[in-house]
Amino acid sequence: MQTFITDFYMVALLVVAHLLLGFPVHSDSISKKDSPPIYSILSENQRIEISDSYEVIYKIERTFTVLSSEGLAHAFTSVFYDKLNEIESVEIEITDPISGKTLEKAKAKDMADAAIYSSGSIFDDNRHKYFEVKSSKFPVQVAVTIETKSSSNFHLSDWVPVHRYNQKVTKSTLVVAYPEHIGLRYKAVNLLGEKSEKTVGKLVEVTWVETDLPVQTPDLKKEDDHRLLLAPVVFAMGDFVGKMEDWSGLATWQYELNKGRNVLPEEFIAEIKTMVADTDSDYEKIEILYQYLQKNYRYVSIQLGIGGWQTMSATEVVKYAYGDCKGLTNLMKSMLEAVEIASNYTLVQAGENAEKIETDLPSNQFNHVILQVPLEDGKSPVWLECTSNSLPTGFLGDFTKNRYVLVTNERGGYLTKTPAYNSSEWNTVLSKNVVKIDPQGNATIATKINVQGNFAEDLQNVKQYLDTRQQRDFFNSNSPVAGLIINQYELHVDHKDSLLLADLSYEGFIQKFVQNTAKRMILKPFLGKITDEMLVNNSLNQIDEYLIELPEVMEAENLSENLVLEEEGIKVTLRTSLEGKNLSVNREINLSLSEDISEEAKTELIKRINALGSSNFYFIKNTAALRHD
């Protein structure tokens, strides 16, 4: 062990000499000239031990050698705790590896303490203790020892050997020890080292060792990272024991956890029934009650109770008029039950950039709850985002669309997928623009834009979260026509059933919309560019119409009447015509791309589409009139 430590320090010091002082270094352990910079070096040992009572002890030993100021953040120590997770001990020692002198020591009592969910309207018991390393001299060594205890094995932390970009991991070891009857399931992703297994007393011990891992940089793709996903077979939280051998087992546990929490006050049930008394349509009943929920109940993030997994009772939500995703979803489910419509409490990994869940490893991979309402006669179910006060009935939006979700019901449950909203009606943009150019080359513009589905959600967010000045700034900066200054605008958001609709109209002024020479007028490209974000759903139906009034009758020098890009699932046309002093430019884009299309192919397609409208228009002025003047 002493030999390893000595070698470790030698490598650190050689790296410092190489990076900071420019001394020549000859060592197989040192980065080559074209390798990424190293800000810290890490060696780590972790042990996860599960007891017969489902309690879990986590032990971590880390040794950092911080080589530069950029590496100080690598040694930042944060330890989570709540009612289920306790901090047993933390010891931090900072030393000068050259002199061996101890610079600072800290224990759990010396660490800062804060709520993890500290912004907004929140009730929680999720907190962390943290310690920030500060130093002006390098290298500096940071040794960290952490022991925590969890009362539940429901969630076992993933093992990610490389913690930070520009960090060299010399060795990282994980040992998981568990009783055989509790079991362990795992999925290794891009691990390069060794795995071994043995029985020690009553426990099965599985060990993973990773050594000399490649230094990672910010351009690393998530799918290329090294990680180990862990999940128990049998687990417990509080008095609720479950099995995660398959998705149905996890769904059964969740259903039992919420059982009996759907009771509503009798007077409230009577009120609900009165609301829907005049309709026989299940969809209309769902819509009426969903809109009532949106108008009368406030979302508040609540991370309390059994690991934050058990919902507030429906009675409590009615009483206080607020709830988190669990409470609001449970209330909506309870209201539907009161009018004899069945629905299913559903777990989802939410977030616009949420990672896909590992469907072949049933486990806790969810952070949000929505509601699925099955319909009869083979119709698609209605999906409800119960934390939103603005989405139409049946539209989930970016937060939870196109995700694998775990539906829970009295029979257990199953994995399915939320709607992708990738048909053309959900990805439609129609614009009509009237532009008038004056003799000085300035222009006025009047624009009407109609959008549907996913794009309408963006405008709804603008309307809901930005004030009038911010909205105007947003439209100015996001206009396809550069330099637009909007004088006035109107934005309306509506819906047709679950399809969100938005209408935007504005009038504005553009300085130097065209460039004038003695003989020519040059109209630069003005069609809005297609972006990666616009094709995130692999579908687009966009029509842009421009009627441009020139300052006088001119002759077009390079007008192409019809440009077409047409392939399977792709049709783009650009039509131009000039009558008198009226220039008409129409672009139509119809895309229905395969789900398997690569990002590289999509990027190339976007370049080809944008190329169709990238040329200047040249017009020859009436030179005879100029001479006459």
Side-chain angles (χ1 to χ4, degrees):
M1 185 66 176
Q2 182 62 44
T3 302
F4 167 73
I5 293 175
T6 303
D7 290 345
F8 181 72
Y9 290 159
M10 286 297 295
V11 170
L13 296 177
L14 287 171
V15 170
V16 173
H18 177 61
L19 295 180
L20 303 183
L21 305 178
F23 294 164
V25 176
H26 304 286
S27 172
D28 293 338
S29 301
I30 306 305
S31 300
K32 296 180 181 179
K33 188 176 181 180
D34 57 352
S35 297
I38 299 173
Y39 301 151
S40 73
I41 302 173
L42 171 66
S43 175
E44 180 178 59
N45 292 305
Q46 291 193 43
R47 181 179 176 87
I48 301 174
E49 185 170 318
I50 306 170
S51 70
D52 284 323
S53 60
Y54 306 102
E55 190 176 81
V56 185
I57 300 293
Y58 293 89
K59 294 182 179 180
I60 300 173
E61 295 178 354
R62 295 181 181 132
T63 302
F64 299 91
T65 298
V66 179
L67 306 177
S68 64
S69 59
E70 293 91 342
L72 289 174
H74 295 192
F76 178 84
T77 299
S78 173
V79 187
F80 169 85
Y81 71 97
D82 62 7
K83 289 183 178 179
L84 294 179
N85 300 276
E86 300 176 9
I87 299 174
E88 296 290 287
S89 66
V90 180
E91 294 186 3
I92 301 171
E93 184 174 7
I94 304 171
T95 59
D96 180 340
I98 298 175
S99 67
K101 180 181 177 181
T102 297
L103 304 176
E104 186 177 4
K105 285 186 176 182
K107 294 189 176 184
K109 63 181 177 62
D110 305 311
M111 301 172 73
D113 189 292
I116 292 179
Y117 304 95
S118 59
S119 61
S121 301
I122 291 166
F123 300 98
D124 68 81
D125 53 25
N126 295 330
R127 303 187 67 82
H128 73 140
K129 287 184 175 293
Y130 62 93
F131 183 85
E132 185 177 4
V133 178
K134 296 179 180 179
S135 179
S136 58
K137 295 182 179 181
F138 302 97
V140 63
Q141 181 184 300
V142 183
V144 181
T145 303
I146 301 169
E147 183 173 332
T148 60
K149 180 173 67 175
S150 174
S151 61
S152 169
N153 68 328
F154 174 63
H155 177 75
L156 299 177
S157 301
D158 295 345
W159 182 50
V160 183
V162 183
H163 298 191
R164 302 276 191 162
Y165 299 128
N166 302 104
Q167 180 179 73
K168 180 62 181 177
V169 176
T170 57
K171 188 175 184 180
S172 185
T173 301
L174 172 68
V175 178
V176 183
Y178 61 92
E180 189 172 2
H181 71 274
I182 286 181
L184 179 73
R185 293 173 301 112
Y186 55 85
K187 180 176 181 178
V189 181
N190 301 321
L191 294 186
L192 305 174
E194 299 177 351
K195 168 186 165 289
S196 60
E197 184 173 326
K198 63 182 178 180
T199 301
V200 180
K202 295 181 179 180
L203 299 178
V204 178
E205 284 193 357
V206 188
T207 301
W208 288 267
V209 181
E210 296 288 304
T211 57
D212 196 29
L213 289 171
V215 177
Q216 297 178 356
T217 54
D219 59 356
L220 176 80
K221 295 180 180 179
K222 287 183 179 180
E223 58 268 25
D224 294 334
D225 200 2
H226 317 284
R227 57 196 175 110
L228 179 71
L229 313 179
L230 300 169
V233 176
V234 183
F235 67 95
M237 188 179 291
D239 296 328
F240 294 87
V241 179
K243 282 190 174 183
M244 270 195 257
E245 289 179 304
D246 54 31
W247 288 112
S248 181
L250 177 56
T252 297
W253 175 82
Q254 177 65 78
Y255 184 83
E256 292 296 321
L257 192 65
N258 287 344
K259 204 168 184 178
R261 305 183 76 80
N262 59 341
V263 178
L264 293 171
E266 288 298 326
E267 62 274 15
F268 186 69
I269 293 176
E271 182 182 350
I272 290 168
K273 290 182 177 180
T274 302
M275 290 182 205
V276 300
D278 296 331
T279 178
D280 294 325
S281 163
D282 279 355
Y283 183 85
E284 289 183 24
K285 290 179 182 178
I286 296 166
E287 186 172 42
I288 289 169
L289 295 182
Y290 182 60
Q291 290 178 352
Y292 172 81
L293 178 82
Q294 291 177 306
K295 291 176 182 177
N296 293 279
Y297 292 88
R298 181 167 55 97
Y299 169 74
V300 176
S301 178
I302 301 173
Q303 309 297 328
L304 301 173
I306 302 178
W309 282 80
Q310 188 178 57
T311 179
M312 294 171 63
S313 70
T315 299
E316 289 176 304
V317 179
V318 171
K319 178 181 178 180
Y320 298 114
Y322 65 71
D324 63 0
C325 63
K326 303 182 295 293
L328 296 176
T329 300
N330 183 56
L331 174 59
M332 186 66 204
K333 183 178 187 299
S334 303
M335 289 195 297
L336 291 173
E337 286 175 0
V339 296
E340 300 181 350
I341 297 176
S343 60
N344 299 316
Y345 188 92
T346 301
L347 307 180
V348 60
Q349 176 65 246
E352 289 186 28
N353 300 309
E355 294 184 17
K356 295 179 180 179
I357 71 168
E358 303 289 341
T359 58
D360 56 350
L361 186 72
S363 55
N364 167 28
Q365 300 179 53
F366 308 105
N367 64 0
H368 189 55
V369 177
I370 56 178
L371 194 66
Q372 182 212 51
V373 190
L375 296 179
E376 296 180 354
D377 303 325
K379 295 180 181 177
S380 298
V382 176
W383 295 92
L384 301 176
E385 172 52 76
C386 298
T387 63
S388 170
N389 60 8
S390 57
L391 290 177
T393 306
F395 181 53
L396 292 177
D398 280 345
F399 200 53
T400 54
K401 72 180 181 184
N402 198 25
R403 311 289 166 81
Y404 280 105
V405 294
L406 183 59
V407 175
T408 71
N409 54 40
E410 66 277 5
R411 297 179 299 279
Y414 57 91
L415 207 63
T416 188
K417 217 170 184 186
T418 57
Y421 306 117
N422 55 8
S423 61
S424 61
E425 67 174 336
W426 291 97
N427 299 278
T428 292
V429 181
L430 308 176
S431 78
K432 292 186 177 182
N433 308 268
V434 177
V435 181
K436 295 183 179 180
I437 305 173
D438 66 23
Q440 289 73 43
N442 305 317
T444 59
I445 184 169
T447 295
K448 292 183 178 180
I449 302 174
N450 170 262
V451 295
Q452 296 181 184
N454 296 298
F455 299 125
E457 184 183 6
D458 295 336
L459 288 180
Q460 177 180 261
N461 290 335
V462 168
K463 186 176 180 66
Q464 185 172 3
Y465 298 113
L466 302 183
D467 61 29
T468 302
R469 180 186 60 79
Q470 291 170 326
Q471 289 179 23
R472 188 187 302 273
D473 290 345
F474 177 86
F475 297 135
N476 280 331
S477 60
N478 286 277
S479 167
V481 182
L484 172 67
I485 300 174
I486 293 177
N487 298 321
Q488 59 183 18
Y489 73 94
E490 290 185 7
L491 173 60
H492 299 285
V493 180
D494 202 348
H495 65 91
K496 180 180 180 182
D497 295 329
S498 60
L499 183 63
L500 198 61
L501 308 171
D503 291 301
L504 171 65
S505 61
Y506 58 76
E507 294 179 1
F509 177 75
I510 311 156
Q511 282 189 318
K512 303 301 179 183
F513 184 61
V514 298
Q515 179 182 348
N516 282 311
T517 68
K519 296 182 178 180
R520 287 180 175 83
M521 186 185 78
I522 304 169
L523 176 57
K524 295 180 180 180
F526 54 85
L527 291 171
K529 291 185 178 296
I530 305 304
T531 64
D532 293 336
E533 291 77 12
M534 295 175 70
L535 293 188
V536 70
N537 303 297
N538 291 340
S539 176
L540 180 62
N541 175 35
Q542 178 164 334
I543 301 176
D544 299 305
E545 298 179 5
Y546 282 84
L547 180 61
I548 301 174
E549 183 180 309
L550 307 181
E552 62 179 85
V553 176
M554 300 183 188
E555 179 184 345
E557 191 171 15
N558 65 330
L559 207 60
S560 298
E561 293 184 357
N562 197 5
L563 299 175
V564 180
L565 171 62
E566 188 167 8
E567 299 170 7
E568 184 177 355
I570 301 167
K571 186 173 183 181
V572 184
T573 60
L574 180 64
R575 297 184 178 90
T576 56
S577 63
L578 180 63
E579 293 183 9
K581 62 178 182 177
N582 292 322
L583 172 67
S584 177
V585 180
N586 295 327
R587 180 178 66 174
E588 294 189 23
I589 303 172
N590 295 103
L591 305 178
S592 181
L593 307 179
S594 167
E595 288 189 9
D596 300 328
I597 187 172
S598 67
E599 290 303 315
E600 292 78 11
K602 193 182 290 188
T603 299
E604 183 59 30
L605 173 61
I606 290 172
K607 289 180 180 178
R608 293 164 64 199
I609 293 173
N610 289 333
L612 289 184
S614 62
S615 299
N616 292 337
F617 291 96
Y618 293 92
F619 299 93
I620 301 174
K621 296 179 179 179
N622 188 337
T623 55
L626 289 173
R627 286 194 300 270
H628 178 74
D629 290 344

